[in-house]
Amino acid sequence: MWVIVAIALIGGRLTSQQKRAIDLFVNSYLTSKLYQYPPDILFSEETDEMVAKAVLLDPSSDELLCYAMDYFAYNDVLTPLSDYWKSVLAIAGRSFFDMHNLECQQNIVDAQIQVGNYQTAEEMLCFLVEGNPENKGQLLKQLVNLSFSRGQLRKAAKYLEKMGEVSDDFWQFINANKGKLYAINHNWDKAYKYFLASGIENCRFKCPASWMFYGGLTADNMGDTDRAIKYYARYIESNLSLSHSDYSILSRLVYLLTQRGRYNEAVEYLGLWLDYFPYDMMVRKERLSLLPLSDKDWEITREEIREYMSYYPEVSCDILNLLARSFIHTGQPDSAEYYGWLAKSSCKNQLYTYNTLLDIFCELNDIQKASRVIKDAEFYLGRTKQVAMLKPKLYYKCEDYRRAALVCDSLLEEYPNDEYLLFLKAESGLEAGEDLKSIKAYEELLKLKPDNATYLNNLGYLLADKDIRLQEAKTYIQKALEKEPDNYAFLDSYGWVLYKLGELEKAEIKFKQAMVLYDRDPTLYEHLGDVLWAQEKREEAKAVWQKALKLGGNKERLTKKLDR
């Protein structure tokens, strides 16, 4: 009789799948085997209505109500809720406090949260906490998460304290969420302490994305770049529902990686983002700009440029410039020149375009065409300071270092103490073998910017490389490392000055520390090989020099070392 009424309530024709669902539901109720039939069928809106109406036929039955709540928990019941389901939830709310079925009560709580009845859900959970001491920790955990989702930080803190009184089993959850609380309030010192205690850096996919998000912000604000990168990366990797609002985290992660010279990883994370948002042209352009700095070859770069152009036919000048560079690096000078001039014709007023053409013609060692580029820049952009800088750059790029230094000297009379000209003069002097000029230029730069880490490092390295003023060189590099302790190039410089001072074991340690940060620099491997050789570690030294050779190090110098 009950079966007939239930089917009559629905009315209309049913599919065979729906009929099977109804049969399972009704039979399980009649035989009191409620959970032998998990709701694993693809239910429809009609079946949703049937389940709700069936409960209303016998509102006093907890068994039927619990089956409906089980159904609600495992199936996406359509929202907004129908009047039938609103009535079912009202019945559940009244029956909840007299039940003795924790699983059913949990499903009722979840249903209240799903429909936005957060206050009711909290009251129900607090009731369960008092009556279920063996499940108190898990129930408090739900209250903490509910409080965070509602922005009720004081309540979250209160429930976390109660969790700590219950058991030590929730130490990671407690510490990570305390860190999150302090991070939300920008108390970075305390947040950092709790995140370190939580050990979430060893999590990969099991920890909530919010922990990684706030852990990353905390480490970043505390200057712990390694942990910030790790947390941000895991946030991006483990977040299965990335949204455009997460772009700021991706952008920060990419910035930190590129600062460390970890271009391959930066490119990969930008690619992961594009898996979610293939039409994000800003990210696609950023990835293209980093590809030349990664291990990806220029052929792959050009393929990605073409893919970009298929999404965005109105190609910008920077993409044309990048395309031109891809051809010059793959030995196709005619195509490189074509796209270089095309970029220039489209963007006559952009200095970057002229820089690209200079690079192309310097690569081809065509001084005449490079000089024409400078004249065009003067015509379209005027005889500005930025245009004037193209000339010394031309000679530097074309490896006429003496001339580059002379032009820098000439321009410095017109633009005294110009930082770029002094830097180019220092580098040109170094390449031309005019070490004293280079040292003097760096000393002038440090007068302008005494705290500049790059200038401190470069002067220190130059002095060490020439075996002069070694203690002074060591001091310069130490100051640079105080400002950027995780800069692999600075660690290499420090290792080099230690090597020159005869502190071989310390030098070896510094080189290996630098390699942890970046392991693709041939100079770093060559230096490590030198210090190993000095310690009589011949085979190790030769293996390291071989690696330097494979990475594109100085072939002539490394071959001589390997032939020892």
Side-chain angles (χ1 to χ4, degrees), residues 514-533:
M515 283 178 179
V516 171
L517 298 171
Y518 185 61
D519 63 354
R520 306 296 298 171
D521 190 329
T523 302
L524 190 50
Y525 282 91
E526 185 176 356
H527 286 170
L528 178 59
D530 292 344
V531 80
L532 290 170
W533 186 271

Side-chain angles (χ1 to χ4, degrees), residues 263-268 271 287-288 290-302 304 329-330 520:
Y263 300 109
N264 290 340
E265 293 169 76
V267 164
E268 291 306 317
R287 178 177 157 85
L288 282 175
L290 291 176
L291 277 173
L293 302 172
S294 72
D295 286 344
K296 305 282 187 185
D297 63 40
W298 280 94
E299 292 288 355
I300 293 174
T301 301
R302 190 153 61 245
E304 296 218 12
H329 283 281
T330 52
R520 306 296 298 171

Side-chain angles (χ1 to χ4, degrees), residues 102-136:
L102 182 60
E103 185 176 356
C104 183
Q105 287 170 306
Q106 284 275 24
N107 284 336
I108 292 173
V109 170
D110 292 342
Q112 297 293 346
I113 293 172
Q114 188 174 328
V115 299
N117 295 334
Y118 302 118
Q119 186 61 39
T120 302
E122 184 180 0
E123 291 170 3
M124 289 177 171
L125 283 170
C126 288
F127 173 81
L128 292 177
V129 165
E130 296 305 319
N132 294 273
E134 67 281 5
N135 294 299
K136 194 171 183 178

Side-chain angles (χ1 to χ4, degrees), residues 121-174:
E122 184 180 0
E123 291 170 3
M124 289 177 171
L125 283 170
C126 288
F127 173 81
L128 292 177
V129 165
E130 296 305 319
N132 294 273
E134 67 281 5
N135 294 299
K136 194 171 183 178
Q138 288 293 342
L139 293 165
L140 284 167
K141 191 174 177 180
Q142 284 182 266
L143 279 165
V144 170
N145 290 332
L146 180 61
S147 300
F148 270 119
S149 68
R150 300 176 71 191
Q152 297 179 330
L153 303 185
R154 289 186 180 179
K155 281 189 176 181
K158 179 183 77 172
Y159 294 133
L160 283 170
E161 290 303 322
K162 286 186 177 182
M163 281 186 76
E165 296 167 5
V166 171
S167 170
D168 293 332
D169 295 340
F170 299 98
W171 63 271
Q172 186 177 67
F173 181 89
I174 293 169

Side-chain angles (χ1 to χ4, degrees), residues 522 526 545-546 548-563:
E526 185 176 356
W545 284 332
Q546 285 284 5
L549 201 57
K550 287 180 182 177
L551 289 171
N554 187 296
K555 187 174 181 180
E556 182 181 352
R557 189 171 60 239
L558 286 165
T559 302
K560 285 181 181 178
K561 291 180 180 183
L562 287 165
D563 289 341

Side-chain angles (χ1 to χ4, degrees), residues 91 202 255 276 288 298 341 352 365 376 378 381-382 461 549:
I91 293 169
N202 298 316
Y255 172 79
Y276 285 87
L288 282 175
W298 280 94
W341 285 119
Y352 179 70
N365 203 27
D376 283 355
E378 289 173 344
L381 301 177
Y461 180 80
L549 201 57

Side-chain angles (χ1 to χ4, degrees), residues 442-454:
Y442 272 120
E443 288 172 337
E444 289 180 39
L445 282 166
L446 283 174
K447 287 177 185 176
L448 292 175
K449 293 194 172 178
D451 294 326
N452 186 290
T454 299

